[in-house]
């Protein structure tokens, strides 16, 4: 019940250096109006800050991402959260590893450490509250008892409101180099991978099975943003709502093998996806996940419809 009612003390793995959360992302699109409509209908709280849109989840102050204007849809940066007393150690690590620090993007006011990853993507390590889960996220599969109605009338169904950003899947030109970079520099750990085609990485201080996923492409770009919900019903209700608003392309309902989450992906106005995700596997701060290499044909999804032909197309390439 505690997860239901709020505060869970942030967990921390002692003696090891690593980011604890995927704090926020930033990307640009040619026109903010379709972005505002899409993410609002998806169930997020869309606000404005300066010339950017902000994406928050219901009832929470955290801004999970910002969207600016640019000539075409393009990923800009990801900011990872770290514990305050780890930031100096990260600065030392960057120096030791010969990773050059770069200036923050113009107009971004921050005291974080900025660097480029193996693909030239801008990455920040900043002091931030731990927003990754510190225990397995609540998941409900209610079953009605005798003489009880299990399902509500359609008119009584509540809109789906995601609880938090769960993960981002980035395209990368080299999955093995990505694993190496995000492990050595940011202190994340490999959860599972399928050869050099896709990899899933978690934070060491208590995290979902993945807060960052990396898929092979000929160029960087972001493939999907995943948002955590509490039941398969919420996934279905969210998918139906998006369909009723004309967002009829996507993939789901299904269940992944790696991460185990139930999913439905809705294609956004730029060809990438927003995922409703429920019941993803959890890696506690005081235990190690048994990372393994899985054959792709046996590990993409357990069940679900066939993915659309452009599901792994990189529209940013
Ligand atoms: Fe996902």
């Amino acid at each position: 019940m505690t997860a239901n009612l709020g505060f869970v003390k942030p967990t921390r793995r002692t003696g090891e250096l690593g980011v604890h959360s995927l704090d926020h992302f930033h990307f640009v699109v040619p026109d903010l109006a379709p972005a505002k409509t899409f993410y609002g209908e998806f169930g997020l709280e869309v606000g404005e800050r300066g010339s950017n849109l902000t994406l928050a989840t219901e009832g929470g102050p955290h801004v999970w991402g910002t969207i600016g204007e640019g000539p075409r849809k393009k990923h800009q940066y990801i900011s990872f959260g770290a514990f305050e007393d780890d930031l100096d150690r990260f600065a030392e690590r960057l120096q030791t590893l010969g990773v050059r620090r770069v200036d923050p993007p113009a107009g971004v006011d921050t005291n974080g450490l900025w660097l480029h990853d193996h693909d030239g993507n801008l990455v920040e390590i900043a002091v931030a509250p731990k927003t990754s889960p510190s225990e397995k996220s609540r998941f409900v599969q209610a079953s009605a008892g005798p003489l009880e109605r299990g399902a509500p009338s359609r008119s009584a169904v509540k809109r789906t409101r995601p609880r938090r950003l769960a993960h981002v899947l980035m395209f990368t030109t080299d999955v093995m180099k990505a694993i190496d970079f995000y492990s050595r520099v940011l202190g994340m750990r490999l959860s599972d991978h399928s050869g050099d085609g896709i990899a899933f990485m978690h934070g060491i201080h208590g995290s979902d099975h993945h807060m960052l996923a990396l898929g092979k492409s000929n160029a960087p770009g972001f493939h999907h943003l995943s948002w955590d919900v509490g039941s398969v019903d919420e996934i279905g209700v969210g998918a139906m709502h998006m369909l009723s608003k004309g967002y009829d392309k996507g993939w789901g309902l299904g269940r992944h093998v790696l991460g185990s989450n139930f999913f439905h992906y809705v294609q956004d106005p730029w060809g990438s996806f927003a995922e409703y995700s429920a019941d993803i596997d959890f890696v506690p701060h005081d235990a190690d996940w048994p990372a393994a290499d899985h054959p792709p044909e046996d590990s993409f999804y357990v069940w679900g419809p066939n993915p659309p032909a452009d599901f792994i197309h990189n529209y940013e390439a």
Side-chain angles (χ1 to χ4, degrees):
M1 288 301 283
T2 49
N4 194 4
L5 297 174
F7 188 74
V8 177
K9 194 172 181 296
T11 50
R12 182 171 187 172
R13 184 182 287 246
T14 48
E16 289 184 60
L17 185 61
V19 295
H20 57 58
S21 304
L22 172 67
D23 192 73
H24 66 275
F25 57 80
H26 180 65
F27 66 96
V28 294
V29 295
D31 182 2
L32 292 181
K36 190 173 182 176
T37 307
F38 178 81
Y39 290 109
E41 296 297 354
F42 190 79
L44 304 180
E45 306 288 319
V46 185
E48 285 172 26
R49 189 166 65 197
S51 56
N52 289 338
L53 296 180
T54 57
L55 300 182
T57 37
E58 187 177 41
H62 190 76
V63 171
W64 300 104
T66 52
I67 310 172
E69 262 181 6
R72 52 197 286 264
K73 181 245 178 184
K74 197 157 179 38
H75 167 73
Q76 299 291 296
Y77 61 82
I78 290 180
S79 178
F80 290 91
F83 293 112
E84 188 170 8
D85 55 326
D86 277 344
L87 204 67
D88 288 346
R89 294 169 66 205
F90 269 115
E92 282 166 30
R93 176 185 278 179
L94 296 181
Q95 201 159 23
T96 308
L97 295 176
V99 177
R100 194 166 61 86
R101 283 170 58 181
V102 298
D103 290 333
V108 176
D109 184 23
T110 155
N111 56 5
L113 311 171
W114 292 81
L115 51 143
H116 286 127
D117 75 3
H118 63 292
D119 265 334
N121 289 309
L122 200 51
V123 169
E124 183 189 26
I125 304 170
V127 175
K130 184 173 186 288
T131 51
S132 64
S134 287
E135 61 178 26
K136 169 100 193 212
S137 290
R138 187 174 53 92
F139 175 76
V140 176
Q141 185 52 59
S143 175
L147 267 184
E148 281 178 359
R149 291 184 197 276
S153 304
R154 269 180 94 146
S155 58
V157 172
K158 285 205 197 88
R159 286 271 313 275
T160 294
R161 304 285 184 189
R163 302 182 287 199
R164 62 182 171 86
L165 176 68
H167 58 265
V168 173
L169 194 158
M170 297 295 302
F171 286 117
T172 175
T173 57
D174 191 323
V175 170
M176 301 324 261
K177 272 192 193 159
I179 296 170
D180 177 67
F181 178 87
Y182 285 96
S183 307
R184 274 189 316 121
V185 182
L186 279 86
M188 297 170 70
R189 288 235 173 120
L190 179 66
S191 308
D192 287 297
H193 69 117
S194 284
D196 60 2
I198 191 158
F200 300 93
M201 304 196 71
H202 64 272
I204 59 173
H205 299 295
S207 157
D208 285 341
H209 174 274
H210 46 282
M211 59 187 193
L212 181 67
L214 300 143
K216 170 84 179 132
S217 177
N218 58 350
F222 95 72
H223 174 268
H224 73 263
L225 307 169
S226 178
W227 303 87
D228 177 71
V229 300
S231 67
V232 171
D233 262 328
E234 285 175 68
I235 297 177
V237 167
M240 278 285 287
H241 177 79
M242 294 304 274
L243 185 63
S244 76
K245 297 296 174 184
Y247 301 107
D248 56 353
K249 296 200 178 76
W251 182 38
L253 174 74
R255 187 172 199 190
H256 281 303
V257 174
L258 304 180
S260 309
N261 51 318
F262 298 95
F263 64 80
H264 182 98
Y265 297 83
V266 185
Q267 194 160 32
D268 67 28
W270 318 282
S272 39
F273 295 88
E275 178 185 22
Y276 294 113
S277 165
D279 205 29
I280 194 164
D281 294 334
F282 177 73
V283 186
H285 68 288
D286 55 358
D288 294 331
W289 184 265
D293 185 4
H294 304 258
E297 67 282 3
D298 199 30
S299 59
F300 188 16
Y301 58 109
V302 188
W303 53 261
N306 292 327
D310 68 344
F311 188 67
I312 51 169
H313 184 79
N314 183 358
Y315 283 96
E316 291 182 44

